[in-house]
Amino acid sequence: MKVAVLGAGAIGAYVGAALHRTGADVHLVARGPHLAALREHGVRVLSPRGDFTARAHATDDPASIGPVDYVFLGLKANSYAACGPLIEPLLHEGTAVIAAQNGIPWWYFHRHGGPYEGHRIESVDPGGAVSAVLAPERAIGCVVYAATELAGPGVVRHLEGTRFSIGEPDRSLSERCLAFSGAMQEGGLKCPVEQDLRNDIWLKLLGNISFNPISALSRATMREMCRHGGTREVIEIMMRETLAVAEALGCKVGVSVERRLAGAERVGDHRTSTLQDLERGKPLELDVLLAAVVELAEITGVPVRTLRTVHAISDLLALRTA
């Protein structure tokens, strides 16, 4: 199995290191000091489950890798449309692209069935720019439940969780999914193949759609947002509106708002990825988290007054920090 990790940051390098331990032919695409460290020392993983080092091939030139069986996409979703020159050298006719993204993916309605079959979500695939680079036929969905961070160049600190749920847009249990799942599990990670990954997408989105923009607007941690009465109420309303949109599209999340809030509070003084991006002056990845759901509410006729309000304010913040 030949795998390229495009965007070998905290999550990508962690997955690449795990696959490399199984004997897979792994290639990490990175840049800057991180790339230099990967070349010199390999990926150093610090984890409560045991530290290890994986000396996978690392480069900033995908053309030097050539076509692969799987591309694990560790880039932010807002950079997908521009990644064509990077991903094109990695593709052959059967290459699968596993996009480890938060929020609503560009392939969401590909082989979905029903009245929305093939519908393009403008906020995540503007003008079809993402689909032109990442053909939906190549897509394997991936919902990440693991938490990692870069402790330094070439050093990944694994904080908690090892689950990477994957699934086909058409809900089939394909050979390509089963093969990748097997390799991930052999490398020590959980990688269930879900018959309908869209349920997992909405489950994770329930937290991302609310905590991420509110944290950027308030500069607050998970615990602080949960313990502030007014903010907690806003987040609860946002979650309930999100559940209504998911249900209108035939998805069942399978967790209550109360349970989701309790779980978030237990995380403690964690800063969301959106708040971290804001503090580092990086673009805010809110279109796939919030704008997409507002757009889906529009086509399904679900009222989402609070989501619209938070989207309007956080969108202005994103524009001012772009």
mmCIF file of all heavy atoms in Angstrom, residues 1-8 11-29 56-59 62 65-74 90-92 95-98 176 179-181 183-184:
data_model
loop_
_atom_site.group_PDB
_atom_site.id
_atom_site.type_symbol
_atom_site.label_atom_id
_atom_site.label_comp_id
_atom_site.label_asym_id
_atom_site.label_seq_id
_atom_site.Cartn_x
_atom_site.Cartn_y
_atom_site.Cartn_z
ATOM 1 N N MET A 1 0.846 -1.197 0.000
ATOM 2 C CA MET A 1 0.000 0.000 0.000
ATOM 3 C C MET A 1 0.878 1.244 0.000
ATOM 4 O O MET A 1 1.741 1.400 0.858
ATOM 5 C CB MET A 1 -0.915 0.014 1.234
ATOM 6 C CG MET A 1 -1.803 1.252 1.351
ATOM 7 S SD MET A 1 -2.760 1.285 2.885
ATOM 8 C CE MET A 1 -3.874 -0.093 2.617
ATOM 9 N N LYS A 2 0.668 2.119 -0.975
ATOM 10 C CA LYS A 2 1.431 3.354 -1.069
ATOM 11 C C LYS A 2 0.522 4.522 -0.703
ATOM 12 O O LYS A 2 -0.545 4.708 -1.300
ATOM 13 C CB LYS A 2 1.983 3.527 -2.489
ATOM 14 C CG LYS A 2 2.936 4.714 -2.647
ATOM 15 C CD LYS A 2 3.533 4.749 -4.051
ATOM 16 C CE LYS A 2 4.510 5.905 -4.227
ATOM 17 N NZ LYS A 2 5.082 5.954 -5.603
ATOM 18 N N VAL A 3 0.959 5.304 0.286
ATOM 19 C CA VAL A 3 0.138 6.386 0.831
ATOM 20 C C VAL A 3 0.938 7.680 0.852
ATOM 21 O O VAL A 3 2.092 7.706 1.302
ATOM 22 C CB VAL A 3 -0.324 6.064 2.266
ATOM 23 C CG1 VAL A 3 -1.211 7.185 2.806
ATOM 24 C CG2 VAL A 3 -1.053 4.733 2.322
ATOM 25 N N ALA A 4 0.314 8.754 0.382
ATOM 26 C CA ALA A 4 0.892 10.089 0.524
ATOM 27 C C ALA A 4 0.043 10.883 1.497
ATOM 28 O O ALA A 4 -1.188 10.877 1.397
ATOM 29 C CB ALA A 4 0.948 10.805 -0.828
ATOM 30 N N VAL A 5 0.687 11.532 2.435
ATOM 31 C CA VAL A 5 -0.006 12.410 3.372
ATOM 32 C C VAL A 5 0.259 13.837 2.920
ATOM 33 O O VAL A 5 1.375 14.344 3.061
ATOM 34 C CB VAL A 5 0.470 12.191 4.818
ATOM 35 C CG1 VAL A 5 -0.252 13.159 5.754
ATOM 36 C CG2 VAL A 5 0.246 10.750 5.246
ATOM 37 N N LEU A 6 -0.765 14.460 2.360
ATOM 38 C CA LEU A 6 -0.635 15.826 1.861
ATOM 39 C C LEU A 6 -1.118 16.777 2.948
ATOM 40 O O LEU A 6 -2.301 16.857 3.250
ATOM 41 C CB LEU A 6 -1.471 15.993 0.586
ATOM 42 C CG LEU A 6 -1.379 17.343 -0.135
ATOM 43 C CD1 LEU A 6 0.057 17.701 -0.450
ATOM 44 C CD2 LEU A 6 -2.218 17.321 -1.406
ATOM 45 N N GLY A 7 -0.173 17.487 3.536
ATOM 46 C CA GLY A 7 -0.475 18.298 4.710
ATOM 47 C C GLY A 7 -0.169 17.481 5.957
ATOM 48 O O GLY A 7 -1.058 17.133 6.728
ATOM 49 N N ALA A 8 1.116 17.132 6.120
ATOM 50 C CA ALA A 8 1.519 16.248 7.214
ATOM 51 C C ALA A 8 1.756 17.042 8.488
ATOM 52 O O ALA A 8 2.872 17.109 9.012
ATOM 53 C CB ALA A 8 2.782 15.471 6.823
ATOM 54 N N ILE A 11 -2.251 15.972 12.692
ATOM 55 C CA ILE A 11 -3.055 14.782 12.399
ATOM 56 C C ILE A 11 -2.413 13.959 11.285
ATOM 57 O O ILE A 11 -2.268 12.731 11.384
ATOM 58 C CB ILE A 11 -4.495 15.175 12.019
ATOM 59 C CG1 ILE A 11 -5.271 15.616 13.267
ATOM 60 C CG2 ILE A 11 -5.217 14.027 11.330
ATOM 61 C CD1 ILE A 11 -5.549 14.504 14.261
ATOM 62 N N GLY A 12 -2.032 14.608 10.203
ATOM 63 C CA GLY A 12 -1.475 13.896 9.055
ATOM 64 C C GLY A 12 -0.216 13.123 9.396
ATOM 65 O O GLY A 12 -0.054 11.955 9.003
ATOM 66 N N ALA A 13 0.707 13.748 10.121
ATOM 67 C CA ALA A 13 1.952 13.067 10.487
ATOM 68 C C ALA A 13 1.686 11.924 11.455
ATOM 69 O O ALA A 13 2.370 10.885 11.407
ATOM 70 C CB ALA A 13 2.937 14.068 11.104
ATOM 71 N N TYR A 14 0.692 12.083 12.317
ATOM 72 C CA TYR A 14 0.326 11.013 13.261
ATOM 73 C C TYR A 14 -0.190 9.790 12.512
ATOM 74 O O TYR A 14 0.223 8.649 12.781
ATOM 75 C CB TYR A 14 -0.722 11.538 14.241
ATOM 76 C CG TYR A 14 -1.184 10.545 15.278
ATOM 77 C CD1 TYR A 14 -0.280 9.952 16.161
ATOM 78 C CD2 TYR A 14 -2.527 10.210 15.404
ATOM 79 C CE1 TYR A 14 -0.703 9.051 17.131
ATOM 80 C CE2 TYR A 14 -2.960 9.315 16.363
ATOM 81 C CZ TYR A 14 -2.044 8.732 17.217
ATOM 82 O OH TYR A 14 -2.467 7.839 18.178
ATOM 83 N N VAL A 15 -1.071 10.017 11.535
ATOM 84 C CA VAL A 15 -1.579 8.914 10.717
ATOM 85 C C VAL A 15 -0.457 8.294 9.896
ATOM 86 O O VAL A 15 -0.326 7.068 9.819
ATOM 87 C CB VAL A 15 -2.708 9.410 9.791
ATOM 88 C CG1 VAL A 15 -3.061 8.367 8.728
ATOM 89 C CG2 VAL A 15 -3.944 9.747 10.611
ATOM 90 N N GLY A 16 0.374 9.132 9.281
ATOM 91 C CA GLY A 16 1.485 8.624 8.495
ATOM 92 C C GLY A 16 2.437 7.773 9.317
ATOM 93 O O GLY A 16 2.910 6.724 8.858
ATOM 94 N N ALA A 17 2.704 8.203 10.538
ATOM 95 C CA ALA A 17 3.605 7.447 11.415
ATOM 96 C C ALA A 17 3.011 6.088 11.766
ATOM 97 O O ALA A 17 3.718 5.071 11.781
ATOM 98 C CB ALA A 17 3.891 8.247 12.683
ATOM 99 N N ALA A 18 1.707 6.070 12.044
ATOM 100 C CA ALA A 18 1.049 4.806 12.382
ATOM 101 C C ALA A 18 1.077 3.844 11.201
ATOM 102 O O ALA A 18 1.364 2.647 11.360
ATOM 103 C CB ALA A 18 -0.392 5.077 12.815
ATOM 104 N N LEU A 19 0.793 4.332 9.992
ATOM 105 C CA LEU A 19 0.802 3.476 8.806
ATOM 106 C C LEU A 19 2.208 2.980 8.486
ATOM 107 O O LEU A 19 2.405 1.844 8.046
ATOM 108 C CB LEU A 19 0.218 4.237 7.614
ATOM 109 C CG LEU A 19 -1.285 4.529 7.659
ATOM 110 C CD1 LEU A 19 -1.689 5.430 6.499
ATOM 111 C CD2 LEU A 19 -2.096 3.231 7.622
ATOM 112 N N HIS A 20 3.199 3.853 8.707
ATOM 113 C CA HIS A 20 4.587 3.470 8.426
ATOM 114 C C HIS A 20 5.001 2.291 9.293
ATOM 115 O O HIS A 20 5.781 1.422 8.856
ATOM 116 C CB HIS A 20 5.507 4.667 8.680
ATOM 117 C CG HIS A 20 6.941 4.419 8.321
ATOM 118 N ND1 HIS A 20 7.872 3.990 9.253
ATOM 119 C CD2 HIS A 20 7.605 4.502 7.140
ATOM 120 C CE1 HIS A 20 9.042 3.847 8.670
ATOM 121 N NE2 HIS A 20 8.906 4.149 7.391
ATOM 122 N N ARG A 21 4.479 2.213 10.515
ATOM 123 C CA ARG A 21 4.829 1.117 11.425
ATOM 124 C C ARG A 21 4.352 -0.229 10.891
ATOM 125 O O ARG A 21 4.863 -1.279 11.288
ATOM 126 C CB ARG A 21 4.215 1.361 12.806
ATOM 127 C CG ARG A 21 4.711 2.602 13.507
ATOM 128 C CD ARG A 21 3.983 2.804 14.822
ATOM 129 N NE ARG A 21 4.584 2.050 15.918
ATOM 130 C CZ ARG A 21 4.078 1.986 17.142
ATOM 131 N NH1 ARG A 21 2.960 2.619 17.427
ATOM 132 N NH2 ARG A 21 4.676 1.287 18.076
ATOM 133 N N THR A 22 3.353 -0.226 10.005
ATOM 134 C CA THR A 22 2.810 -1.474 9.465
ATOM 135 C C THR A 22 3.583 -1.949 8.236
ATOM 136 O O THR A 22 3.279 -3.009 7.695
ATOM 137 C CB THR A 22 1.334 -1.298 9.069
ATOM 138 O OG1 THR A 22 1.244 -0.510 7.873
ATOM 139 C CG2 THR A 22 0.544 -0.637 10.178
ATOM 140 N N GLY A 23 4.514 -1.137 7.761
ATOM 141 C CA GLY A 23 5.250 -1.481 6.566
ATOM 142 C C GLY A 23 4.707 -0.839 5.312
ATOM 143 O O GLY A 23 5.196 -1.098 4.206
ATOM 144 N N ALA A 24 3.684 0.013 5.447
ATOM 145 C CA ALA A 24 3.155 0.721 4.286
ATOM 146 C C ALA A 24 4.205 1.684 3.741
ATOM 147 O O ALA A 24 5.070 2.181 4.476
ATOM 148 C CB ALA A 24 1.888 1.494 4.667
ATOM 149 N N ASP A 25 4.139 1.936 2.450
ATOM 150 C CA ASP A 25 5.048 2.872 1.775
ATOM 151 C C ASP A 25 4.469 4.273 1.936
ATOM 152 O O ASP A 25 3.620 4.708 1.163
ATOM 153 C CB ASP A 25 5.156 2.482 0.296
ATOM 154 C CG ASP A 25 6.143 3.349 -0.470
ATOM 155 O OD1 ASP A 25 6.905 4.092 0.177
ATOM 156 O OD2 ASP A 25 6.130 3.286 -1.715
ATOM 157 N N VAL A 26 4.929 4.984 2.968
ATOM 158 C CA VAL A 26 4.337 6.264 3.369
ATOM 159 C C VAL A 26 5.242 7.418 2.962
ATOM 160 O O VAL A 26 6.467 7.376 3.169
ATOM 161 C CB VAL A 26 4.089 6.298 4.892
ATOM 162 C CG1 VAL A 26 3.584 7.678 5.321
ATOM 163 C CG2 VAL A 26 3.097 5.213 5.292
ATOM 164 N N HIS A 27 4.620 8.471 2.422
ATOM 165 C CA HIS A 27 5.336 9.675 2.004
ATOM 166 C C HIS A 27 4.642 10.891 2.622
ATOM 167 O O HIS A 27 3.437 11.086 2.425
ATOM 168 C CB HIS A 27 5.349 9.792 0.483
ATOM 169 C CG HIS A 27 5.946 8.598 -0.189
ATOM 170 N ND1 HIS A 27 7.265 8.564 -0.598
ATOM 171 C CD2 HIS A 27 5.399 7.397 -0.503
ATOM 172 C CE1 HIS A 27 7.513 7.384 -1.139
ATOM 173 N NE2 HIS A 27 6.408 6.655 -1.097
ATOM 174 N N LEU A 28 5.371 11.698 3.352
ATOM 175 C CA LEU A 28 4.834 12.868 4.036
ATOM 176 C C LEU A 28 5.173 14.125 3.250
ATOM 177 O O LEU A 28 6.343 14.369 2.943
ATOM 178 C CB LEU A 28 5.407 12.973 5.443
ATOM 179 C CG LEU A 28 5.288 11.724 6.326
ATOM 180 C CD1 LEU A 28 6.006 11.947 7.652
ATOM 181 C CD2 LEU A 28 3.825 11.358 6.558
ATOM 182 N N VAL A 29 4.166 14.917 2.938
ATOM 183 C CA VAL A 29 4.383 16.172 2.222
ATOM 184 C C VAL A 29 4.230 17.321 3.215
ATOM 185 O O VAL A 29 3.156 17.529 3.791
ATOM 186 C CB VAL A 29 3.385 16.334 1.054
ATOM 187 C CG1 VAL A 29 3.659 17.644 0.304
ATOM 188 C CG2 VAL A 29 3.488 15.148 0.103
ATOM 189 N N ALA A 56 9.494 7.891 7.983
ATOM 190 C CA ALA A 56 8.879 7.856 6.657
ATOM 191 C C ALA A 56 9.544 8.893 5.754
ATOM 192 O O ALA A 56 10.100 9.895 6.227
ATOM 193 C CB ALA A 56 7.390 8.134 6.766
ATOM 194 N N HIS A 57 9.463 8.665 4.448
ATOM 195 C CA HIS A 57 9.997 9.618 3.482
ATOM 196 C C HIS A 57 9.238 10.937 3.579
ATOM 197 O O HIS A 57 8.009 10.948 3.655
ATOM 198 C CB HIS A 57 9.875 9.045 2.064
ATOM 199 C CG HIS A 57 10.224 10.026 0.989
ATOM 200 N ND1 HIS A 57 9.304 10.457 0.055
ATOM 201 C CD2 HIS A 57 11.390 10.667 0.708
ATOM 202 C CE1 HIS A 57 9.893 11.310 -0.769
ATOM 203 N NE2 HIS A 57 11.151 11.452 -0.396
ATOM 204 N N ALA A 58 9.950 12.057 3.593
ATOM 205 C CA ALA A 58 9.326 13.376 3.687
ATOM 206 C C ALA A 58 9.862 14.272 2.576
ATOM 207 O O ALA A 58 11.061 14.248 2.263
ATOM 208 C CB ALA A 58 9.602 14.005 5.047
ATOM 209 N N THR A 59 8.969 15.070 1.994
ATOM 210 C CA THR A 59 9.345 15.916 0.874
ATOM 211 C C THR A 59 8.383 17.096 0.779
ATOM 212 O O THR A 59 7.304 17.086 1.379
ATOM 213 C CB THR A 59 9.301 15.113 -0.451
ATOM 214 O OG1 THR A 59 9.693 15.959 -1.541
ATOM 215 C CG2 THR A 59 7.896 14.587 -0.722
ATOM 216 N N PRO A 62 5.519 16.715 -4.319
ATOM 217 C CA PRO A 62 4.732 15.506 -4.594
ATOM 218 C C PRO A 62 5.145 14.796 -5.877
ATOM 219 O O PRO A 62 4.984 13.573 -5.986
ATOM 220 C CB PRO A 62 3.298 16.044 -4.694
ATOM 221 C CG PRO A 62 3.302 17.301 -3.894
ATOM 222 C CD PRO A 62 4.662 17.895 -4.121
ATOM 223 N N ILE A 65 7.201 11.793 -5.515
ATOM 224 C CA ILE A 65 6.544 10.606 -4.946
ATOM 225 C C ILE A 65 5.899 9.767 -6.046
ATOM 226 O O ILE A 65 6.023 8.549 -6.086
ATOM 227 C CB ILE A 65 5.472 11.019 -3.916
ATOM 228 C CG1 ILE A 65 6.102 11.812 -2.777
ATOM 229 C CG2 ILE A 65 4.729 9.797 -3.382
ATOM 230 C CD1 ILE A 65 5.096 12.458 -1.843
ATOM 231 N N GLY A 66 5.202 10.454 -6.947
ATOM 232 C CA GLY A 66 4.488 9.748 -8.002
ATOM 233 C C GLY A 66 3.133 9.259 -7.528
ATOM 234 O O GLY A 66 2.723 9.490 -6.380
ATOM 235 N N PRO A 67 2.397 8.564 -8.393
ATOM 236 C CA PRO A 67 1.036 8.121 -8.057
ATOM 237 C C PRO A 67 1.015 7.154 -6.868
ATOM 238 O O PRO A 67 1.912 6.334 -6.695
ATOM 239 C CB PRO A 67 0.569 7.420 -9.336
ATOM 240 C CG PRO A 67 1.395 8.032 -10.419
ATOM 241 C CD PRO A 67 2.735 8.282 -9.801
ATOM 242 N N VAL A 68 -0.039 7.279 -6.062
ATOM 243 C CA VAL A 68 -0.188 6.462 -4.847
ATOM 244 C C VAL A 68 -1.577 5.827 -4.830
ATOM 245 O O VAL A 68 -2.461 6.181 -5.609
ATOM 246 C CB VAL A 68 0.017 7.320 -3.578
ATOM 247 C CG1 VAL A 68 1.414 7.917 -3.541
ATOM 248 C CG2 VAL A 68 -1.038 8.431 -3.484
ATOM 249 N N ASP A 69 -1.770 4.903 -3.900
ATOM 250 C CA ASP A 69 -3.076 4.263 -3.742
ATOM 251 C C ASP A 69 -4.042 5.135 -2.954
ATOM 252 O O ASP A 69 -5.247 5.168 -3.242
ATOM 253 C CB ASP A 69 -2.915 2.914 -3.036
ATOM 254 C CG ASP A 69 -2.000 1.974 -3.795
ATOM 255 O OD1 ASP A 69 -2.217 1.813 -5.011
ATOM 256 O OD2 ASP A 69 -1.058 1.427 -3.178
ATOM 257 N N TYR A 70 -3.506 5.825 -1.954
ATOM 258 C CA TYR A 70 -4.330 6.686 -1.109
ATOM 259 C C TYR A 70 -3.606 8.019 -0.876
ATOM 260 O O TYR A 70 -2.403 8.030 -0.594
ATOM 261 C CB TYR A 70 -4.591 6.059 0.264
ATOM 262 C CG TYR A 70 -5.355 4.757 0.230
ATOM 263 C CD1 TYR A 70 -4.677 3.540 0.164
ATOM 264 C CD2 TYR A 70 -6.751 4.729 0.291
ATOM 265 C CE1 TYR A 70 -5.360 2.341 0.141
ATOM 266 C CE2 TYR A 70 -7.446 3.533 0.269
ATOM 267 C CZ TYR A 70 -6.753 2.343 0.191
ATOM 268 O OH TYR A 70 -7.429 1.148 0.170
ATOM 269 N N VAL A 71 -4.365 9.099 -0.961
ATOM 270 C CA VAL A 71 -3.889 10.395 -0.492
ATOM 271 C C VAL A 71 -4.666 10.708 0.776
ATOM 272 O O VAL A 71 -5.903 10.813 0.752
ATOM 273 C CB VAL A 71 -4.113 11.516 -1.523
ATOM 274 C CG1 VAL A 71 -3.707 12.865 -0.921
ATOM 275 C CG2 VAL A 71 -3.330 11.253 -2.792
ATOM 276 N N PHE A 72 -3.947 10.821 1.899
ATOM 277 C CA PHE A 72 -4.587 11.258 3.142
ATOM 278 C C PHE A 72 -4.433 12.765 3.198
ATOM 279 O O PHE A 72 -3.321 13.285 3.280
ATOM 280 C CB PHE A 72 -3.945 10.602 4.360
ATOM 281 C CG PHE A 72 -4.668 10.906 5.651
ATOM 282 C CD1 PHE A 72 -5.708 10.101 6.077
ATOM 283 C CD2 PHE A 72 -4.307 11.998 6.419
ATOM 284 C CE1 PHE A 72 -6.388 10.379 7.268
ATOM 285 C CE2 PHE A 72 -4.970 12.291 7.601
ATOM 286 C CZ PHE A 72 -6.020 11.483 8.025
ATOM 287 N N LEU A 73 -5.560 13.479 3.142
ATOM 288 C CA LEU A 73 -5.538 14.931 3.015
ATOM 289 C C LEU A 73 -5.626 15.575 4.392
ATOM 290 O O LEU A 73 -6.674 15.549 5.043
ATOM 291 C CB LEU A 73 -6.708 15.366 2.132
ATOM 292 C CG LEU A 73 -6.605 16.688 1.368
ATOM 293 C CD1 LEU A 73 -5.369 16.722 0.495
ATOM 294 C CD2 LEU A 73 -7.859 16.879 0.516
ATOM 295 N N GLY A 74 -4.504 16.134 4.842
ATOM 296 C CA GLY A 74 -4.466 16.777 6.148
ATOM 297 C C GLY A 74 -4.540 18.288 6.076
ATOM 298 O O GLY A 74 -4.318 18.972 7.069
ATOM 299 N N LEU A 90 0.103 12.890 -7.589
ATOM 300 C CA LEU A 90 -0.099 11.739 -6.716
ATOM 301 C C LEU A 90 -1.192 10.800 -7.208
ATOM 302 O O LEU A 90 -1.398 9.725 -6.632
ATOM 303 C CB LEU A 90 -0.457 12.217 -5.297
ATOM 304 C CG LEU A 90 0.556 13.135 -4.625
ATOM 305 C CD1 LEU A 90 -0.018 13.685 -3.323
ATOM 306 C CD2 LEU A 90 1.868 12.396 -4.358
ATOM 307 N N LEU A 91 -1.889 11.195 -8.264
ATOM 308 C CA LEU A 91 -3.090 10.471 -8.674
ATOM 309 C C LEU A 91 -2.842 9.513 -9.827
ATOM 310 O O LEU A 91 -2.160 9.836 -10.790
ATOM 311 C CB LEU A 91 -4.176 11.467 -9.088
ATOM 312 C CG LEU A 91 -4.586 12.525 -8.058
ATOM 313 C CD1 LEU A 91 -5.638 13.445 -8.650
ATOM 314 C CD2 LEU A 91 -5.086 11.865 -6.771
ATOM 315 N N HIS A 92 -3.412 8.314 -9.703
ATOM 316 C CA HIS A 92 -3.602 7.441 -10.858
ATOM 317 C C HIS A 92 -5.093 7.138 -10.943
ATOM 318 O O HIS A 92 -5.891 7.675 -10.156
ATOM 319 C CB HIS A 92 -2.742 6.174 -10.779
ATOM 320 C CG HIS A 92 -3.001 5.293 -9.588
ATOM 321 N ND1 HIS A 92 -4.228 4.702 -9.315
ATOM 322 C CD2 HIS A 92 -2.169 4.865 -8.587
ATOM 323 C CE1 HIS A 92 -4.148 3.962 -8.233
ATOM 324 N NE2 HIS A 92 -2.906 4.055 -7.760
ATOM 325 N N THR A 95 -6.689 6.089 -7.521
ATOM 326 C CA THR A 95 -6.294 6.726 -6.256
ATOM 327 C C THR A 95 -7.498 7.228 -5.479
ATOM 328 O O THR A 95 -8.359 7.925 -6.015
ATOM 329 C CB THR A 95 -5.340 7.902 -6.512
ATOM 330 O OG1 THR A 95 -4.194 7.445 -7.217
ATOM 331 C CG2 THR A 95 -4.911 8.550 -5.197
ATOM 332 N N ALA A 96 -7.562 6.872 -4.202
ATOM 333 C CA ALA A 96 -8.621 7.363 -3.313
ATOM 334 C C ALA A 96 -8.083 8.532 -2.497
ATOM 335 O O ALA A 96 -6.915 8.554 -2.106
ATOM 336 C CB ALA A 96 -9.091 6.260 -2.378
ATOM 337 N N VAL A 97 -8.944 9.515 -2.256
ATOM 338 C CA VAL A 97 -8.581 10.681 -1.455
ATOM 339 C C VAL A 97 -9.372 10.642 -0.154
ATOM 340 O O VAL A 97 -10.606 10.676 -0.166
ATOM 341 C CB VAL A 97 -8.862 11.994 -2.209
ATOM 342 C CG1 VAL A 97 -8.573 13.198 -1.314
ATOM 343 C CG2 VAL A 97 -8.020 12.075 -3.482
ATOM 344 N N ILE A 98 -8.658 10.544 0.952
ATOM 345 C CA ILE A 98 -9.282 10.488 2.279
ATOM 346 C C ILE A 98 -9.117 11.851 2.919
ATOM 347 O O ILE A 98 -8.019 12.247 3.314
ATOM 348 C CB ILE A 98 -8.638 9.398 3.143
ATOM 349 C CG1 ILE A 98 -8.778 8.035 2.447
ATOM 350 C CG2 ILE A 98 -9.264 9.361 4.534
ATOM 351 C CD1 ILE A 98 -8.016 6.923 3.128
ATOM 352 N N ARG A 176 -11.654 -0.682 -0.983
ATOM 353 C CA ARG A 176 -10.640 0.336 -0.692
ATOM 354 C C ARG A 176 -10.770 0.848 0.741
ATOM 355 O O ARG A 176 -9.767 1.139 1.395
ATOM 356 C CB ARG A 176 -10.702 1.475 -1.704
ATOM 357 C CG ARG A 176 -11.977 2.297 -1.716
ATOM 358 C CD ARG A 176 -11.919 3.397 -2.767
ATOM 359 N NE ARG A 176 -13.045 4.316 -2.652
ATOM 360 C CZ ARG A 176 -13.153 5.442 -3.336
ATOM 361 N NH1 ARG A 176 -12.213 5.796 -4.206
ATOM 362 N NH2 ARG A 176 -14.191 6.249 -3.174
ATOM 363 N N ALA A 179 -9.511 -2.061 3.103
ATOM 364 C CA ALA A 179 -8.051 -2.194 3.079
ATOM 365 C C ALA A 179 -7.380 -1.100 3.903
ATOM 366 O O ALA A 179 -6.445 -1.362 4.684
ATOM 367 C CB ALA A 179 -7.550 -2.159 1.635
ATOM 368 N N PHE A 180 -7.844 0.137 3.747
ATOM 369 C CA PHE A 180 -7.259 1.241 4.509
ATOM 370 C C PHE A 180 -7.554 1.067 5.993
ATOM 371 O O PHE A 180 -6.669 1.283 6.837
ATOM 372 C CB PHE A 180 -7.794 2.580 4.006
ATOM 373 C CG PHE A 180 -7.103 3.769 4.614
ATOM 374 C CD1 PHE A 180 -5.865 4.183 4.144
ATOM 375 C CD2 PHE A 180 -7.680 4.468 5.662
ATOM 376 C CE1 PHE A 180 -5.209 5.268 4.722
ATOM 377 C CE2 PHE A 180 -7.038 5.548 6.245
ATOM 378 C CZ PHE A 180 -5.796 5.957 5.770
ATOM 379 N N SER A 181 -8.779 0.675 6.316
ATOM 380 C CA SER A 181 -9.148 0.440 7.714
ATOM 381 C C SER A 181 -8.242 -0.608 8.347
ATOM 382 O O SER A 181 -7.762 -0.440 9.475
ATOM 383 C CB SER A 181 -10.609 -0.014 7.797
ATOM 384 O OG SER A 181 -10.936 -0.452 9.102
ATOM 385 N N ALA A 183 -5.177 -1.430 7.525
ATOM 386 C CA ALA A 183 -3.828 -0.897 7.725
ATOM 387 C C ALA A 183 -3.783 0.035 8.935
ATOM 388 O O ALA A 183 -2.829 0.002 9.731
ATOM 389 C CB ALA A 183 -3.365 -0.168 6.469
ATOM 390 N N MET A 184 -4.787 0.869 9.080
ATOM 391 C CA MET A 184 -4.837 1.788 10.219
ATOM 392 C C MET A 184 -4.908 1.010 11.539
ATOM 393 O O MET A 184 -4.221 1.340 12.504
ATOM 394 C CB MET A 184 -6.045 2.715 10.084
ATOM 395 C CG MET A 184 -5.939 3.724 8.964
ATOM 396 S SD MET A 184 -4.962 5.184 9.394
ATOM 397 C CE MET A 184 -6.206 6.144 10.294
#
